[in-house]
């Protein structure tokens, strides 16, 4: 197990440096300039632009910029946002909120998705199954910002049972609606994935054996079908953190959740290039770490993974 | 035990069937030749979902090519005096806050969504097939290098990458093409991975070995024998990816970093209507419906294709 974890960490390191280097290279190589974009259509005074460029190290060669950034990471310095606040300070305030939102969303999508997918798979072709398939397709097709506005309109404006924007301190009850929206797309994928693997496992020899040796149906379902069907779902939840990051940016922006996503959202809207770059980098790091954690968890759940070459 | 030894009398041995063995072995000479794609085509034509999604996809294409067939109005002719007015004769969906015709803007926005979808898909498919095929077929260090590059690109979710690119690119340089490049340049690793896996399972087949034994060059084997037999899952992922590209375009336009101001886009219209969610929600809902239906049709088409091209998926239905 220790070797498995060490190996996974060793695999992530080159990907981490490659990905961050790639982001910095893009910013450097692309025509256009995040500083000029700050001036909007009117443009910026050349002296101001030069001063800003020096402040964000944009006047230095890109490999130096990158080394400054990586060096900073090791001492907990993620750079400075456009408002002059250190990115690490903003992260300290916003990250716990995003973490709570993500936890809520992942729990909901996993629990509901697996349950509905399981029932769907067990009742293949029945009314419940067909409705679950149709509903999940709709959730997959409707972009997350549309889901967010529809939810805001129905639950916030029409029914008045939820607040359309999250209050100060982001209490749990205010986070429920944004979390439902954030969970919607992945929920639909998990339903479909669980259904598929339940249907496949139903015909497996080990299920027939379990039934033949006299286990009760609920026990066969719980121990033999459900557990094995969850293997692809756990993999999916790992890769899903990428979608979750993008979703969090949009949902937090729309519901005004004071998290990492809203900070990025506002930086995008105000076209603050350097802040956008540092926050996307932060999100990529979160994504990689989350993936690593899921992989380690996966190794605990499935011994075959642990010992595989 | 020799094979001609008498069987024990306790065993029941069935008498020879009435059907002579010759008839059982007879080859159906008259049967039509078939292959994966012919089978898939026959299977698809039996499914109602194929017709539903096909009609919507066709409609989206026709609207994108000939928007003037569907509306005579100029979507850019807006008058503030009509701001947020409801439906009236000739204006079935009412007006936006800026007093533009909602219906005309939806019709003209179709082309943007479809263009981005097609350009991104082309880019992703070409890069994905080249990289996936090379690393799957040639293996060794080529695979090691290309797969690591793929891992790095995969580590940056493609919408986030597009956000960085579009925030840095100069405002004047924004266009449908640049936006599509920004989305596509990071979206290819999934296609490459799917194709690589498929090629790994195909390349040890007997027909590949016989081609090699006949002296066919590796590149030709890859092109003529391996690729055609591993491309089916790529077709499925491409169709669903087109839907993903449309969503990505709408998301970036919604964030205000997608397209130049004169290009019409559903995402932009949704973004501009968000301030009026309370008093005029329909200006937000209509473009959202157009967007979702277009996305749904491509996803449905992908599902139908997957069911038709993958015998295992057919059994799950």
């Amino acid at each position: 197990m220790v070797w498995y974890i060490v190996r996974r960490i060793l695999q992530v390191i080159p990907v981490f440096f490659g990905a961050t280097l790639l982001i910095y290279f893009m910013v450097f190589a692309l025509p256009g300039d995040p500083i000029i974009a700050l001036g909007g259509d009117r443009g910026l005074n050349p002296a101001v632009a030069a001063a800003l460029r020096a402040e964000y190290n944009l006047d230095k060669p890109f490999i130096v910029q990158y080394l400054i950034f990586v060096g900073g990471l090791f001492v907990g310095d993620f750079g400075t946002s456009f408002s002059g606040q250190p990115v690490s300070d903003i992260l300290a305030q916003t990250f716990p909120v995003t973490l709570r939102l993500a936890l809520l969303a992942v729990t909901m999508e996993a629990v509901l998705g697996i349950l509905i997918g399981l029932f769907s798979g067990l009742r293949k072709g029945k009314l419940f199954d067909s409705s679950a398939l149709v509903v999940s397709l709709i959730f997959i097709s409707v972009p997350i910002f549309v889901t967010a506005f529809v939810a805001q309109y129905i639950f916030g404006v029409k029914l008045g049972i939820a607040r359309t924007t999250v209050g100060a301190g982001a209490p749990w009850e205010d986070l429920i609606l944004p979390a439902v929206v954030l969970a919607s797309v992945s929920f639909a994928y998990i339903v479909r994935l669980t259904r598929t693997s339940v249907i496949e496992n139903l015909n497996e020899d080990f299920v027939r054996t379990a039934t033949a040796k006299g286990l009760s149906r609920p026990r066969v379902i719980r121990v033999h079908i459900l557990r094995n069907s969850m293997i692809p779902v756990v993999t999916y939840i790992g890769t899903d953190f990428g979608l979750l990051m993008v979703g969090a940016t949009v949902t937090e922006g729309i519901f005004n959740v004071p998290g990492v996503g809203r900070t990025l959202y506002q930086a995008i809207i105000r076209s603050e290039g350097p802040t956008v770059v540092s926050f996307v980098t932060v999100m990529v790091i979160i994504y990689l770490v989350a993936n690593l954690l899921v992989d380690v968890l996966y190794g605990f759940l499935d011994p075959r993974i642990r010992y595989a070459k | 035990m020799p094979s001609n030894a008498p069987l024990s009398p306790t065993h029941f041995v069935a008498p020879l069937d009435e059907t002579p063995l010759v008839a059982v072995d007879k080859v159906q000479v008259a049967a039509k030749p078939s292959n994966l794609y012919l089978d898939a085509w026959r299977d698809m034509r039996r499914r109602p979902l194929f017709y539903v999604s096909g009609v919507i996809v066709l409609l989206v294409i026709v609207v994108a090519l000939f928007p003037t067939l569907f509306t005579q109005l100029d979507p850019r002719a807006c008058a503030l005096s009509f701001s947020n007015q409801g439906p009236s004769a000739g204006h079935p969906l009412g007006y936006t806050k800026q007093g533009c015709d909602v219906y005309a803007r939806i019709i003209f926005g179709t082309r943007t969504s479809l263009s981005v979808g097609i350009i991104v898909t082309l880019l992703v498919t070409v890069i994905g097939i080249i990289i996936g095929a090379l690393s799957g077929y040639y293996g060794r260090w080529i695979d090691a290098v290309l797969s690591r590059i793929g891992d790095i690109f995969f580590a940056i979710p493609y919408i986030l990458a597009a956000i960085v690119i579009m925030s840095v690119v100069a405002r004047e340089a924004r266009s449908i093409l640049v936006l599509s490049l920004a989305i596509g340049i990071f979206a290819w690793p999934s296609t490459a991975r799917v194709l690589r896996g498929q090629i790994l399972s195909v390349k040890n087949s007997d027909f590949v070995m016989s081609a090699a034994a006949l002296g066919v060059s590796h590149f030709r084997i890859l092109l003529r024998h391996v690729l055609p037999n591993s491309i089916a899952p790529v077709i499925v992922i491409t169709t669903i990816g087109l839907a993903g590209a449309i969503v990505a375009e709408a998301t970036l336009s919604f964030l205000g970093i997608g397209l130049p101001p004169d290009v019409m886009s559903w995402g932009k219209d949704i973004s501009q209507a968000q301030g009026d969610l309370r008093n005029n929600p329909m200006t937000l809902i209509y473009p959202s419906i157009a967007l979702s239906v277009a996305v749904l049709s491509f996803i449905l088409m992908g599902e139908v294709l997957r069911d038709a091209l993958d015998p295992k998926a057919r059994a799950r239905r």
Side-chain angles (χ1 to χ4, degrees):
Chain A
M1 190 66 205
V2 176
W3 275 114
Y4 170 72
I5 297 176
V6 170
R7 207 171 59 221
R8 284 296 296 124
I9 292 176
L10 287 180
Q11 278 169 354
V12 166
I13 290 171
V15 173
F16 165 78
F17 284 111
T20 45
L21 188 67
L22 190 59
I23 294 178
Y24 269 74
F25 179 72
M26 272 187 335
V27 175
F28 166 79
L30 282 172
D33 184 335
I35 296 296
I36 293 214
L38 285 173
D41 296 327
R42 275 179 303 142
L44 220 56
N45 182 334
V48 176
L52 282 171
R53 229 170 253 138
E55 196 186 328
Y56 291 101
N57 296 319
L58 289 170
D59 51 346
K60 301 187 177 64
F62 113 89
I63 196 74
V64 177
Q65 291 179 34
Y66 179 68
L67 290 177
I68 292 176
F69 157 76
V70 172
L73 280 188
F74 287 105
V75 291
D77 174 14
F78 288 85
T80 313
S81 90
F82 195 67
S83 54
Q85 231 182 332
V87 171
S88 49
D89 282 9
I90 303 180
L91 276 179
Q93 293 161 16
T94 55
F95 186 67
V97 180
T98 300
L99 192 65
R100 274 160 58 210
L101 182 70
L103 272 181
L104 209 55
V106 171
T107 314
M108 278 194 289
E109 71 191 33
V111 173
L112 282 178
I114 291 173
L115 274 181
I116 295 179
L118 175 67
F119 284 116
S120 228
L122 292 175
R123 290 172 174 67
K124 185 183 125 183
K126 301 278 167 57
L127 181 66
F128 181 85
D129 180 37
S130 331
S131 345
L133 279 181
V134 172
V135 171
S136 63
L137 264 184
I138 292 173
F139 273 125
I140 289 173
S141 308
V142 179
I144 194 153
F145 53 97
V146 173
T147 322
F149 284 127
V150 171
Q152 217 177 30
Y153 183 68
I154 294 177
F155 297 105
V157 179
K158 278 276 155 187
L159 301 176
I161 52 173
R163 286 213 265 170
T164 51
T165 56
V166 171
W172 284 100
E173 62 266 29
D174 280 9
L175 286 181
I176 292 174
L177 192 59
V180 169
V181 170
L182 187 53
S184 60
V185 178
S186 308
F187 158 76
Y189 278 114
I190 292 179
V191 168
R192 299 176 79 83
L193 204 55
T194 314
R195 172 185 182 271
T196 306
S197 59
V198 164
I199 291 175
E200 268 167 13
N201 281 329
L202 273 173
N203 295 321
E204 288 288 346
D205 288 341
F206 60 78
V207 170
R208 208 168 300 133
T209 312
T211 313
K213 75 180 183 189
L215 291 190
S216 70
R217 183 78 176 154
R219 193 170 162 79
V220 173
I221 291 173
R222 212 174 54 234
V223 179
H224 294 273
I225 296 178
L226 184 59
R227 267 201 205 168
N228 281 295
S229 306
M230 274 167 65
I231 294 170
V233 176
V234 174
T235 322
Y236 173 75
I237 292 176
T239 55
D240 176 50
F241 276 97
L243 198 66
L244 205 67
M245 290 293 145
V246 178
T249 307
V250 173
T251 334
E252 288 185 4
I254 292 174
F255 285 98
N256 209 25
V257 182
V260 184
R262 189 186 66 165
T263 321
L264 175 59
Y265 178 85
Q266 288 175 341
I268 297 168
I269 302 277
R270 296 180 193 143
S271 46
E272 297 173 356
T275 316
V276 172
V277 176
S278 30
F279 273 87
V280 168
T281 316
V282 165
M283 285 194 160
V284 169
I285 297 173
I286 298 176
Y287 173 53
L288 285 175
V289 171
N291 244 321
L292 183 66
L293 289 179
V294 170
D295 273 359
V296 170
L297 178 78
Y298 196 31
F300 274 109
L301 287 178
D302 188 352
R304 282 175 301 185
I305 303 291
R306 227 180 297 161
Y307 299 118
K309 270 279 175 173
Chain B
M1 194 164 74
S3 59
N4 56 354
L7 288 160
S8 83
T10 51
H11 276 128
F12 171 75
V13 178
L16 263 184
D17 213 76
E18 281 76 36
T19 321
L21 277 176
V22 183
V24 174
D25 283 348
K26 205 156 79 182
V27 175
Q28 280 185 296
V29 183
K32 277 186 202 159
S34 188
N35 63 39
L36 177 67
Y37 298 98
L38 269 177
D39 278 350
W41 175 233
R42 275 186 213 129
D43 181 69
M44 273 163 65
R45 276 183 306 173
R46 281 201 303 269
R47 301 198 63 194
L49 268 189
F50 168 65
Y51 295 97
V52 174
S53 55
V55 165
I56 306 175
V57 167
L58 269 182
L59 183 70
V60 170
I61 294 173
V62 173
V63 173
L65 286 177
F66 312 106
T68 42
L69 283 181
F70 296 86
T71 176
Q72 270 72 52
L73 293 168
D74 180 2
R76 291 188 182 84
C78 310
L80 277 175
S81 51
F82 294 122
S83 177
N84 275 339
Q85 273 188 20
S88 55
H91 304 278
L93 305 182
Y95 295 90
T96 66
K97 191 190 186 83
Q98 283 79 27
C100 315
D101 185 76
V102 173
Y103 173 71
R105 288 191 68 88
I106 290 176
I107 292 293
F108 278 87
T110 314
R111 185 179 285 179
T112 309
S113 285
L114 193 66
S115 313
V116 174
I118 290 176
I119 301 174
V120 171
T121 306
L122 279 178
L123 191 69
V124 166
T125 314
V126 169
I127 305 179
I129 286 185
I130 292 175
I131 296 206
L134 291 181
S135 62
Y137 189 71
Y138 290 101
R140 293 161 182 270
W141 65 270
I142 298 183
D143 181 31
V145 171
L146 292 180
S147 292
R148 292 298 85 72
I149 294 178
D151 286 350
I152 290 172
F153 277 81
F154 196 73
I156 309 176
Y158 66 93
I159 296 190
L160 285 184
I163 286 175
V164 168
I165 296 175
M166 296 313 289
S167 311
V168 175
V169 160
R171 224 165 252 262
E172 319 72 77
R174 284 180 189 173
S175 66
I176 290 184
L177 186 65
V178 170
L179 178 64
S180 311
L181 291 177
I183 299 170
I185 211 84
F186 275 85
W188 57 267
S190 353
T191 308
R193 282 182 181 188
V194 166
L195 183 63
R196 175 180 175 274
Q198 194 69 17
I199 285 184
L200 282 182
S201 67
V202 167
K203 77 171 177 186
N204 291 325
S205 315
D206 290 343
F207 62 84
V208 174
M209 235 172 282
S210 21
L214 285 172
V216 183
S217 75
H218 269 304
F219 188 69
R220 212 178 150 75
I221 293 179
L222 174 60
L223 221 57
R224 294 295 303 271
H225 299 283
V226 175
L227 263 185
N229 284 294
S230 19
I231 209 78
V234 175
I235 299 175
V236 174
I237 200 175
T238 300
T239 319
I240 295 177
L242 207 152
I246 293 179
V247 173
E249 181 274 322
T251 309
L252 289 162
S253 296
F254 168 75
L255 291 170
I257 50 172
L259 297 161
D262 58 320
V263 177
M264 253 155 295
S265 142
W266 297 332
K268 240 195 258 178
D269 285 358
I270 295 170
S271 168
Q272 278 162 7
Q274 61 178 316
D276 295 306
L277 186 63
R278 272 167 203 279
N279 51 36
N280 194 8
M282 291 325 273
T283 52
L284 187 148
I285 299 296
Y286 289 131
S288 303
I289 292 176
L291 174 61
S292 308
V293 169
V295 172
L296 180 64
S297 65
F298 283 103
I299 288 184
L300 275 181
M301 187 56 96
E303 294 267 317
V304 175
L305 277 169
R306 180 199 322 256
D307 289 354
L309 288 170
D310 179 4
K312 260 166 89 189
R314 231 183 279 179
R316 279 199 299 266
R317 231 158 41 213

